Amino acid sequence: MPLTKEQIAQRIAQEVEDGFTVNLGIGIPTLVANFIPPHLNVMLQSENGLLGMGPFPLEKDIDADLINAGKQTITAVPGASYFSSADSFAMIRGGHVDLTVLGAMEVDETGSIANWMVPGKMIKGMGGAMDLVAGARRVIVAMQHRDKDGQSKLRKKCTLPLTGLHCINKIVSDYGVIDVSKNGFILREFAPDLSPEEVVRATEGSVRIADDVKPMKI
Amino acid sequence: MSRKVYPNAILALAGVKDDMTMIFGGFGLCGIPENCIVALRNSGAKNLTCVSNNAGIDDFGLGLLLQTRQIKKMISSYVGENAIFEKQFMSGELEVELVPQGTLAERIRAGGAGIPGFYTPTGVGTLVAEGKEVKNFNGRDCILEKGIVGDFAFVKAWKGDKFGNLIFRKTSRNFNPMAATAGKITVAEVEELVEIGELDPDQIHTPGVFVQRIFQGQNYQKRIEHRTVRKV
């Protein structure tokens, strides 16, 4: 069995280090917050102007002036700060955000990512995704390995319009953990119920199996 | 100094005309200039170019100006969550320039700061880069993006004084401070208008020099797009 969304999020949380500033995108990335160990000092950045995002509020604490980038009501943790969108993206574009986690429709073996537009379908816009992939120090993609028709979403070359070129460092999918190197994908970990070879077969881009490949620990 | 103070939104929008470029503060429905948007709708000005991170929802925010077809072009980073927008966009009636959110914030900031253009790696190798000058800095390609200046800018603050000094609250700050700098005429609406001297100068987010007109806003709805809560 491939991993659940929660398990993908759980694995990504292991990449978060003490002292990190982290920006989490919408979807699976949002779930990562639930698995960051409480003993780590981590500040979650929300690009609409909050560093130090907390959990959803209690009903009585809802504040229309306090939302996250997904326009959900939210809280702020002690030590949080509010700022303008220009300051927010100075953090992101200036390399002050240690890690961003985003979803993707496609990634490729050169580290490019497509996650904002399907030609012919309604275009909603890229929001902050292009800034995040270009500016964050580390970019991890949380995604399903294959689409509904069983096609690999980890491709030789993205077919959809790009969000960023050669910018992602790591992919955590329901099949495994894959690093992006100059020579393509490297399989580091595989979902416990799959074999490394099965992950490679499910991947369109070229994948090298790391010498020390191991099952994912969830 | 109180010559900046206007009694209401309608008077504060004097001089608004067809074909103008308008910059709006706000993120989603948070921190949007609710009163100015309604007054702009009632002004009937059309063929507007609206610079705003989002386009509101069907019956609120900039959605109100879409309903009345007053907007010719939107410059935004994210325009989902609005069926009227989608319809007008798909039919070709509405022109849309999608801009990465950080680039949009910086373009408005630059416009307000007298900087006509800047280079950024954001968007390199994507559709956003098409037709733009590319320059390599320290081994990294960057594209030239241009500053944006509006005929008007509309912002919403929590508190403001009669000189136009503004303080925003929590994440309703968002695009408002940059928008305030980038209007030839910047109109600020505030939840609480106070006398000069009542705001602590150390706490001002937007100095009054950027604000030409200010008024006490009314009947704020402060709608919430996604009401999310936790139990205990």
Side-chain angles (χ1 to χ4, degrees):
Chain A
M1 281 285 288
L3 302 185
T4 64
K5 290 175 180 179
E6 282 72 20
Q7 289 172 317
I8 295 173
Q10 207 177 339
R11 176 60 190 82
I12 292 172
Q14 296 169 18
E15 299 293 315
V16 176
E17 295 173 26
D18 192 38
F20 263 23
T21 295
V22 181
N23 183 296
L24 300 174
I26 293 164
I28 302 175
T30 305
L31 301 174
V32 173
N34 302 336
F35 299 104
I36 297 174
H39 68 273
L40 296 185
N41 292 303
V42 171
M43 281 294 205
L44 298 179
Q45 203 252 19
S46 187
E47 66 265 26
N48 57 315
L50 166 61
L51 179 60
M53 181 167 61
F56 293 144
L58 296 171
E59 184 73 38
K60 67 177 176 58
D61 295 327
I62 283 182
D63 185 340
D65 288 338
L66 183 47
I67 62 168
N68 64 16
K71 288 123 188 170
Q72 297 171 309
T73 47
I74 203 76
T75 55
V77 299
S81 53
Y82 303 114
F83 35 83
S84 72
S85 300
D87 287 341
S88 178
F89 283 92
M91 288 176 200
I92 292 165
R93 293 152 67 114
H96 308 281
V97 170
D98 298 290
L99 170 66
T100 187
V101 184
L102 300 97
M105 299 190 274
E106 283 181 345
V107 294
D108 70 29
E109 62 185 46
T110 72
S112 295
I113 173 171
N115 73 354
W116 73 283
M117 173 181 173
V118 179
K121 287 204 180 161
M122 177 57 197
I123 300 160
K124 293 185 171 182
M126 68 293 280
M130 286 191 183
D131 307 280
L132 282 159
V133 298
R137 297 169 77 94
R138 260 178 88 66
V139 179
I140 297 182
V141 176
M143 65 189 296
Q144 306 294 332
H145 208 91
R146 305 199 289 180
D147 66 19
K148 288 186 184 108
D149 304 323
Q151 290 289 327
S152 172
K153 294 162 76 172
L154 282 73
R155 312 194 69 121
K156 281 198 170 312
K157 197 170 189 316
C158 288
T159 60
L160 296 168
L162 294 184
T163 307
L165 193 64
H166 317 318
C167 55
I168 67 170
N169 304 103
K170 189 184 278 292
I171 301 146
V172 180
S173 80
D174 48 344
Y175 278 53
V177 178
I178 291 174
D179 281 347
V180 180
S181 76
K182 280 186 183 135
N183 304 312
F185 296 129
I186 301 174
L187 180 65
R188 298 281 180 200
E189 299 172 25
F190 48 93
D193 293 347
L194 301 173
S195 69
E197 292 72 23
E198 281 176 294
V199 181
V200 172
R201 273 202 299 278
T203 308
E204 183 200 278
S206 58
V207 192
R208 186 169 72 76
I209 299 176
D211 298 337
D212 59 348
V213 71
K214 55 183 193 252
M216 288 169 82
K217 271 194 198 140
I218 301 295
Chain B
M1 282 186 224
S2 58
R3 66 191 164 79
K4 287 188 181 178
V5 177
Y6 283 66
N8 57 46
I10 296 170
L11 292 169
L13 265 66
V16 162
K17 293 195 194 84
D18 294 353
D19 306 308
M20 280 184 160
T21 295
M22 310 303 203
I23 303 178
F24 299 82
F27 185 99
L29 301 179
C30 183
I32 59 172
E34 296 184 15
N35 287 222
C36 287
I37 291 170
V38 170
L40 190 54
R41 181 194 61 190
N42 294 343
S43 79
K46 55 185 192 297
N47 283 328
L48 301 174
T49 295
C50 291
V51 182
S52 168
N53 188 56
N54 311 95
I57 57 173
D58 285 340
D59 64 344
F60 201 55
L62 290 185
L64 297 177
L65 302 181
L66 289 166
Q67 277 181 4
T68 50
R69 297 184 150 70
Q70 287 169 269
I71 303 178
K72 177 187 69 177
K73 178 178 179 181
M74 284 292 314
I75 301 180
S76 304
S77 87
Y78 189 82
V79 293
E81 348 211 350
N82 189 321
I84 297 177
F85 181 99
E86 189 168 338
K87 210 170 151 195
Q88 292 183 16
F89 174 61
M90 291 310 240
S91 71
E93 197 177 335
L94 180 67
E95 197 186 329
V96 180
E97 180 181 343
L98 290 170
V99 180
Q101 198 171 123
T103 295
L104 183 62
E106 194 63 14
R107 286 180 67 188
I108 300 170
R109 197 194 73 80
I115 297 168
F118 59 91
Y119 289 94
T120 177
T122 296
V124 167
T126 75
L127 292 175
V128 166
E130 279 184 6
K132 289 175 185 159
E133 186 191 318
V134 180
K135 198 175 167 88
N136 190 287
F137 292 87
N138 305 317
R140 193 168 191 196
D141 280 345
C142 295
I143 51 176
L144 177 64
E145 294 282 3
K146 291 177 181 168
I148 299 176
V149 174
D151 294 298
F152 275 81
F154 302 108
V155 302
K156 190 257 166 183
W158 180 41
K159 289 183 182 181
D161 71 17
K162 291 180 173 177
F163 179 61
N165 291 311
L166 303 177
I167 295 177
F168 305 96
R169 185 170 175 275
K170 301 189 176 180
T171 57
S172 70
R173 192 182 318 181
N174 55 61
F175 279 78
N176 281 296
M178 290 83 69
T181 66
K184 288 176 191 160
I185 296 174
T186 290
V187 182
E189 55 176 271
V190 295
E191 286 182 53
E192 189 183 349
L193 183 63
V194 302
E195 293 300 325
I196 288 170
E198 285 187 41
L199 300 180
D200 178 351
D202 263 338
Q203 303 302 322
I204 305 288
H205 297 131
T206 290
V209 69
F210 295 117
V211 175
Q212 282 69 47
R213 302 175 183 178
I214 188 166
F215 67 94
Q216 166 75 59
Q218 286 178 339
N219 304 321
Y220 281 107
Q221 294 187 31
K222 295 179 75 164
R223 286 204 209 170
I224 292 171
E225 262 175 274
H226 303 294
R227 180 178 285 266
T228 43
V229 294
R230 71 176 194 272
K231 314 237 168 69
V232 191

